[in-house]
Amino acid sequence: MTRLDLLSGCAFSAALLLGLPGVAAAQDLQDRPVAPPLPEAPAAPPPGAAAEDQINFSAGMLEYDYEQDIVTATSDVRMFRAGERLRADKVVWNRKTGKVIATGNIAVTNPQGDTAYGDQIELTDSLKDGLVDNMLVVLDRGGRLAADRGTRYEDGTISLDRAAYTACSVVDSDGCPKEPTWKVTAVKVTYRPDRERVYYTGGQVHLFGLPSIPLPKFSHPIGEGTASGLLSPSVRYDRVNGFEVATPYLFRLAPNRKLTVTPHVYSDVLPMLQANYEHLNELGAFSITGYGTASRRSDDLSSGFASSTERAFRGYLDGVGRFQLDENWSLSGSLRLTTDRTFLRRYDISRADRLRTTFALERIDRDSYFSLAGWATQTLRVGERQGLQPVALPELDYRRRMKEDLLGGTVQFQLNTLALGRKAGQDTQRAFASARWDLRRLTNWGQEVTFTAFARADAYNTDDTAATNVVRYRGLEGFHSRAIGAVAVDVRWPFVGELFGGTQRITPRLQIVASPKIENLDLPNEDARAIDLEDSNLFALNRFAGYDRWEDSSRATYGLDYGLDLPGLSIATNIGQSYRLDNRETIFPSGTGLSDRFSDIVGRTTVRFRDFVSLTHRYRLDKNSLAVRRNEIDATVGSRATYLLVGYLRLNRDIDQLEDLQDREEIRVGGRVQFARFWSAFASGLIDLTDRTDDVFSLSDGFDPIRHRLGVQYEDDCLTLGVTWRQDYRTTGDARRGSSFLLTLALKNLGR
């Protein structure tokens, strides 16, 4: 009864597709009521006969006409020869002419897995070539072809007359026939399985049943393979460049190499050319992308974005690569370089404010690490001088862990050297050697105790210190040395038990660190400028981020970790504070949370409920007033189809001495709503909430939108179609504020 109801429910859909009940439509892409023949092990050939010369078959009934030498097989006939498989209700085989005619519920499968269906198939006895009426070909790598009549050739090529192709599903969620989201119809279609490509003559693309502009000749690959041809185009509009059409073309140079060339044509400015080259070999892979055009540009961003050059070449290079030379050695690098500060924003390539070029030669084994690295930075920020950006060439880092224990603990050595140079700024060379000993033990009561001893010797050489504006970062001119030492003990005492059907963990923690006074300010600070107390560095041996500053105080740090794991719910939180045991003058600036003997209170809470809610909250509270000095929230609520993302950050630290540690406040919002099976709407926005109470140099009034995005998208198994509107509220040189619109269209197998 259920089967009858399903058939009657699909009858109306089938009638719409076929036009009239009971009349087969041309180019019928629907599944046929027959299963493809399954592979079957052929019988052993007679002595002296090759396997490919044998036809193995089975049937419910077999008749043989001795005079005409005709074999007629009926009732679920199956034939096999050299990987070719045929299934039909009736097969007539003329052994004199070699002609095989199959009728009724026909399916023919080739060795590649492609299956052809038809009302009547006329084949040779090789089962490889012949004519098919009302043909349907279901490709093993995805997609299907249908035609009034088709011809199969011995090399596997299929030629179709008045044909249609689609990579979409032809049934709905209830299993009823439906019109595919898109299909291609053509006067003549040729499928070349050796090239994994379909060729069209007199073709036309139909989208949602509506025909497009005719395309005289074109072709496309099938499946997920890479082949030369056009990729999905994109259409965009913004007020600076006008309408933009980008049409990528892929050149498949070799199985491991490809080149994609994308011309960008604009209505208001000169075209831009984009090229991407990708190469894969047995050692690794690399990719490099280049952009190039000519237009007016604004480079003097510090003068109110008013100055501009005459028309000049503008471009950008972006490359990345990694090679594994052997089991231990690897070479990696990246290249990011642009001609001017506003090119990336104007042409909507990237919103980065700094570009870094890097390289690294590394060796890693079980007990050692070696790195020879370097990097250079190009600033795109307003008011920053490029001559003050450092170039690191080189940085050498070597670490070695001793295999033999020392007094029951592990020992690790490190050697490091770094040379920083600036075209118009301070130059610094640094080298140090360090040793660290760690001993971890578990007591009978369950405490985890870790003893640590650390020693390091530094050597620095500095030139042109007056070029650094912040005095605390300069250090003294010339050569200077420094010795560092510290000892520490860290105790954790976890308590684990059952709660609400889950597991609860409570872990108090205490750490004591002792370190002698060190002349930090005699040396330059190049890599330890981001000073902030967080839950991640609360129990660190040195709470400065880099090597150039060392926390030279004795202190006690205490905190609590809590965790609760229930079915579908997990909660993890920690909180802590530190207290300096000596009253020597600190090098931490006021407002960092570490300048007084008692530090601020820091913590983090993470909550996850199934796959529906994810919440992370980081905070820092003033030790005296409990005022919130850092408040950071990242939350995700919803499913994969419908969700809301919220990010909020407020830094209220009142650090006025350092130019790169100003306060800020911002909120980020994004989300997606699926309002139909294949339709969804999405939006995102970024708002600067900073005002002069947070940063005296801020130009924001406390609610300053930076940009937002709003769009609608359709996406099913074979089509992605969407339109996006983006609004930028800030002007940077010739990257002016305003609206831009992007139209995206991607058809499976016709573009990526």
Side-chain angles (χ1 to χ4, degrees):
M1 186 65 181
T2 303
R3 176 62 178 168
L4 291 176
D5 290 341
L6 178 61
L7 290 174
S8 62
C10 293
F12 181 69
S13 299
L16 290 177
L17 289 176
L18 298 178
L20 293 174
V23 178
Q27 305 166 353
D28 183 9
L29 291 163
Q30 300 299 317
D31 290 329
R32 304 296 167 87
V34 58
L38 298 175
E40 181 171 312
E52 58 269 18
D53 293 332
Q54 301 300 310
I55 295 181
N56 300 296
F57 67 90
S58 64
M61 183 178 295
L62 187 66
E63 297 179 2
Y64 181 58
D65 186 338
Y66 287 94
E67 294 183 0
Q68 302 296 328
D69 200 9
I70 295 176
V71 178
T72 302
T74 56
S75 183
D76 194 17
V77 184
R78 308 194 182 205
M79 302 181 68
F80 306 87
R81 179 172 185 173
E84 302 282 345
R85 311 190 299 273
L86 180 146
R87 177 178 185 172
D89 290 342
K90 181 180 179 180
V91 174
V92 178
W93 176 21
N94 190 322
R95 298 185 63 186
K96 292 181 178 179
T97 63
K99 181 181 295 185
V100 177
I101 298 177
T103 56
N105 291 324
I106 303 167
V108 182
T109 302
N110 63 16
Q112 291 77 32
D114 302 329
T115 301
Y117 302 88
D119 293 342
Q120 176 176 298
I121 298 181
E122 181 179 321
L123 304 168
T124 62
D125 55 10
S126 67
L127 305 184
K128 293 181 178 181
D129 55 347
L131 301 176
V132 185
D133 292 329
N134 190 20
M135 187 177 193
L136 171 68
V137 181
V138 179
L139 306 177
D140 183 63
R141 305 199 66 179
R144 56 183 58 206
L145 289 155
D148 291 350
R149 188 175 179 84
T151 303
R152 297 175 76 243
Y153 296 98
E154 190 167 354
D155 62 357
T157 299
I158 298 177
S159 179
L160 306 172
D161 298 324
R162 294 188 60 226
Y165 168 84
T166 187
C168 304
S169 174
V170 295
V171 295
D172 59 20
S173 57
D174 297 324
C176 296
K178 75 176 184 69
E179 182 74 9
T181 308
W182 66 263
K183 66 179 180 180
V184 181
T185 61
V187 176
K188 187 175 183 61
V189 176
T190 302
Y191 167 51
R192 293 283 304 271
D194 56 332
R195 299 182 181 179
E196 297 182 350
R197 201 165 187 88
V198 180
Y199 300 84
Y200 299 89
T201 300
Q204 195 172 29
V205 179
H206 299 252
L207 185 62
F208 296 108
L210 301 175
S212 68
I213 300 174
L215 302 173
K217 283 192 176 183
F218 71 100
S219 66
H220 64 80
I222 63 169
E224 301 300 327
T226 300
S228 298
L230 289 172
L231 305 183
S232 298
S234 64
V235 180
R236 183 193 305 269
Y237 171 80
D238 65 58
R239 60 168 300 190
V240 179
N241 302 319
F243 283 99
E244 173 192 356
V245 177
T247 307
Y249 191 93
L250 174 66
F251 296 91
R252 187 176 185 267
L253 306 178
N256 65 327
R257 294 183 291 120
K258 64 179 181 179
L259 172 67
T260 305
V261 178
T262 307
H264 298 255
V265 180
Y266 305 92
S267 62
D268 295 349
V269 295
L270 292 177
M272 178 175 68
L273 186 64
Q274 173 188 352
N276 170 257
Y277 178 76
E278 298 180 24
H279 189 116
L280 173 69
N281 58 34
E282 64 276 5
L283 297 180
F286 74 90
S287 171
I288 185 166
T289 303
Y291 299 80
T293 187
S295 64
R296 298 175 66 89
R297 70 188 189 195
S298 297
D299 267 337
D300 189 6
L301 303 182
S302 61
S303 62
F305 321 123
S307 64
S308 63
T309 66
E310 293 298 326
R311 181 163 292 159
F313 173 77
R314 308 180 70 181
Y316 172 57
L317 286 176
D318 187 345
V320 63
R322 182 176 180 84
F323 300 94
Q324 193 69 38
L325 306 180
D326 60 21
E327 181 181 359
N328 304 115
W329 287 92
S330 66
L331 177 66
S332 61
S334 64
L335 171 67
R336 301 188 71 191
L337 187 66
T338 185
T339 55
D340 57 89
R341 303 194 185 203
T342 61
F343 175 77
L344 298 181
R345 287 174 180 259
R346 170 166 180 170
Y347 291 94
D348 200 25
I349 298 171
S350 171
R351 310 198 69 82
D353 59 0
R354 284 176 176 158
L355 303 179
R356 175 177 281 194
T357 297
T358 67
F359 82 90
L361 176 65
E362 297 176 292
R363 187 187 188 280
I364 304 174
D365 61 25
R366 180 177 179 180
D367 297 308
S368 69
Y369 170 79
F370 169 80
S371 171
L372 171 62
W375 66 88
T377 302
Q378 181 181 10
T379 183
L380 307 182
R381 291 187 172 188
V382 175
E384 283 191 353
R385 294 178 56 192
Q386 180 60 41
L388 297 180
Q389 303 306 309
V391 175
L393 192 67
E395 181 188 32
L396 287 168
D397 191 49
Y398 177 73
R399 307 179 193 190
R400 181 78 183 182
R401 182 176 58 192
M402 301 299 295
K403 295 182 179 180
E404 297 81 13
D405 292 342
L406 177 63
L407 301 178
T410 60
V411 178
Q412 177 177 295
F413 297 99
Q414 181 179 5
L415 298 174
N416 182 282
T417 179
L418 171 67
L420 290 179
R422 294 176 174 87
K423 185 177 180 180
Q426 178 173 322
D427 298 332
T428 301
Q429 297 86 43
R430 178 194 71 201
F432 70 78
S434 69
R436 175 168 176 160
W437 173 82
D438 291 287
L439 173 64
R440 178 179 174 270
R441 288 292 183 265
L442 296 176
T443 69
N444 294 332
W445 285 5
Q447 295 102 335
E448 178 186 351
V449 183
T450 303
F451 298 94
T452 300
F454 180 81
R456 197 176 89 193
D458 301 342
Y460 282 78
N461 184 51
T462 308
D463 298 312
D464 298 327
T465 58
T468 300
N469 294 328
V470 181
V471 177
R472 297 174 66 93
Y473 294 162
R474 292 178 179 175
L476 300 179
E477 193 94 7
F479 179 84
H480 295 274
S481 61
R482 175 177 64 180
I484 294 174
V487 293
V489 58
D490 192 319
V491 181
R492 305 182 193 215
W493 195 353
F495 296 88
V496 182
E498 184 179 353
L499 182 67
F500 306 132
T503 302
Q504 176 183 231
R505 301 178 306 280
I506 302 175
T507 308
R509 183 176 181 182
L510 173 66
Q511 179 196 60
I512 297 177
V513 179
S515 182
K517 180 175 176 57
I518 298 170
E519 297 299 331
N520 277 284
L521 298 182
D522 291 348
L523 303 177
N525 182 4
E526 298 280 9
D527 65 0
R529 300 181 179 183
I531 307 167
D532 206 356
L533 179 63
E534 300 176 324
D535 64 283
S536 60
N537 65 2
L538 178 64
F539 288 91
L541 199 61
N542 178 33
R543 289 182 286 198
F544 282 98
Y547 296 114
D548 291 340
R549 291 289 180 264
W550 181 266
E551 188 175 357
D552 58 346
S553 64
S554 299
R555 64 185 184 273
T557 306
Y558 40 89
L560 181 72
D561 295 338
Y562 177 81
L564 177 63
D565 292 317
L566 302 176
L569 175 67
S570 66
I571 300 174
T573 185
N574 59 57
I575 189 171
Q577 187 183 33
S578 67
Y579 173 73
R580 280 197 289 114
L581 302 176
D582 54 62
N583 57 4
R584 72 175 69 130
E585 184 179 0
T586 181
I587 61 172
F588 288 105
S590 176
T592 59
L594 292 164
S595 56
D596 296 331
R597 298 192 68 175
F598 277 100
S599 76
D600 285 350
I601 302 168
V602 295
R604 180 187 65 202
T605 300
T606 301
V607 178
R608 296 185 181 275
F609 176 68
R610 303 187 186 277
D611 291 330
F612 189 75
V613 176
S614 175
L615 171 67
T616 300
H617 180 216
R618 302 177 184 87
Y619 59 89
R620 174 156 70 90
L621 305 178
D622 188 278
K623 60 186 179 304
N624 298 319
S625 63
L626 297 182
V628 180
R629 299 302 180 192
R630 179 190 183 99
N631 192 15
E632 186 176 1
I633 299 173
D634 289 292
T636 303
V637 180
S639 62
R640 292 180 179 270
T642 299
Y643 56 85
L644 174 66
L645 304 174
V646 177
Y648 173 77
L649 171 65
R650 176 173 171 79
L651 300 177
N652 183 27
R653 303 169 297 178
D654 296 331
I655 305 176
D656 297 328
Q657 303 177 31
L658 305 177
E659 61 182 0
D660 50 1
L661 292 176
Q662 300 302 317
D663 289 338
R664 62 182 302 182
E665 184 177 10
E666 69 177 30
I667 185 169
R668 307 175 304 277
V669 180
R672 180 180 291 270
V673 176
Q674 184 174 356
F675 57 86
R677 184 182 180 190
F678 300 118
W679 288 93
S680 62
F682 55 90
S684 64
L686 176 62
I687 301 175
D688 185 2
L689 303 177
T690 309
D691 57 24
R692 290 185 179 274
T693 61
D694 299 316
D695 181 2
V696 295
F697 300 105
S698 175
L699 301 178
S700 176
D701 59 1
F703 190 89
D704 186 12
I706 298 176
R707 60 182 174 271
H708 74 249
R709 185 173 63 119
L710 179 65
V712 178
Q713 180 172 287
Y714 175 93
E715 184 173 6
D716 61 17
D717 62 310
C718 65
L719 169 69
T720 300
L721 174 65
V723 60
T724 303
W725 167 48
R726 195 184 72 195
Q727 176 78 23
D728 289 294
Y729 293 88
R730 293 185 176 180
T731 294
T732 305
D734 57 355
R736 298 194 298 271
R737 58 183 297 171
S739 297
S740 62
F741 299 88
L742 173 65
L743 175 66
T744 57
L745 173 63
L747 308 178
K748 181 180 179 182
N749 288 355
L750 292 186
R752 293 174 291 279

